[in-house]
């Protein structure tokens, strides 16, 4: 992880990792979670970056898969992620980020809002998630976080 710069009073920090860049509203904590993929049994690492500001959490993850079912399309992968979230679906829209298939969706559960932008590029799922109270899905910080994400070319080996 390279932390490139902090900007403005809210301490926005640009993160550059293998294959992407994003701005987060603070310096993130980094963790790695092992996940077992349904259907293939593959064990993968989900790399997570998290910033917590009061009652709002900003989360960015990257999960690279090696063995996905051949009939699983990017669109279906994104729908599976959306449909696997708890709570009531409030909003959903397909989109594209840096030319890759993506979805924005919002769930509500027990008064908490979970706003997600998921991008599936190559064999990697990127997820940007903001959890907070009502209105967090349209808050300027959420929009900046989501809109700052882009895929970047990996340097040649």
């Amino acid at each position: 992880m390279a932390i490139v710069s902090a900007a403005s009073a809210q301490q926005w920090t640009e993160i550059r990792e293998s294959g992407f860049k994003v701005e987060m509203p603070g310096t993130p904590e980094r963790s790695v979670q092992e996940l077992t993929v349904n259907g293939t049994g593959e064990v993968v690492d989900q790399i997570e970056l998290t910033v917590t500001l009061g009652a709002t959490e900003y989360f960015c993850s990257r999960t690279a898969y090696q063995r996905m079912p051949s009939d699983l399309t990017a669109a279906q992968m994104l729908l599976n992620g959306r449909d696997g979230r708890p709570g009531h679906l409030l909003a959903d829209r397909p989109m594209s980020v840096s030319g890759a298939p993506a979805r924005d969706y919002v769930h509500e559960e027990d008064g908490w809002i979970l706003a997600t932008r998921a991008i599936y590029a190559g064999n990697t799922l990127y997820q940007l998630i903001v959890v907070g109270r009502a209105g967090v899905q349209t808050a300027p910080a959420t929009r900046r976080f989501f809109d700052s994400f882009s895929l970047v070319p990996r340097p040649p080996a």
Side-chain angles (χ1 to χ4, degrees):
M1 171 175 68
I3 298 176
V4 176
S5 64
S8 85
Q10 192 163 13
Q11 302 293 324
W12 283 87
T13 303
E14 183 179 272
I15 308 300
R16 289 181 181 263
E17 291 229 354
S18 177
F20 76 96
K21 68 177 182 159
V22 68
E23 291 180 13
M24 297 188 79
T27 302
E29 290 185 27
R30 181 187 177 94
S31 63
V32 178
Q33 306 294 324
E34 271 193 357
L35 304 176
T36 302
V37 180
N38 290 338
T40 67
E42 175 185 12
V43 176
V44 296
D45 286 340
Q46 178 171 285
I47 297 163
E48 302 173 349
L49 304 170
T50 307
V51 172
T52 303
L53 297 175
T56 305
E57 183 170 87
Y58 300 82
F59 174 90
C60 175
S61 71
R62 172 174 51 93
T63 310
Y65 300 93
Q66 300 305 312
R67 298 184 333 226
M68 294 305 289
S70 59
D71 61 343
L72 182 63
T73 65
Q76 189 61 52
M77 175 77 154
L78 294 169
L79 287 172
N80 291 352
R82 180 201 67 193
D83 295 344
R85 296 276 186 239
H88 175 71
L89 183 65
L90 300 177
D92 175 38
R93 77 179 174 104
M95 59 184 303
S96 175
V97 172
S98 300
R103 287 194 96 80
D104 270 359
Y105 46 90
V106 179
H107 286 84
E108 183 275 331
E109 182 179 33
D110 297 329
W112 290 95
I113 300 295
L114 184 83
T116 303
R117 176 166 290 175
I119 305 100
Y120 192 63
N123 67 338
T124 303
L125 177 65
Y126 301 90
Q127 296 181 88
L128 307 175
I129 302 170
V130 180
V131 180
R133 292 300 185 181
V136 74
Q137 69 271 33
T138 57
T142 299
R143 303 289 16 119
R144 178 173 175 175
F145 174 49
F146 283 5
D147 293 343
S148 73
F149 180 91
S150 64
L151 298 169
V152 295
R154 295 173 192 227

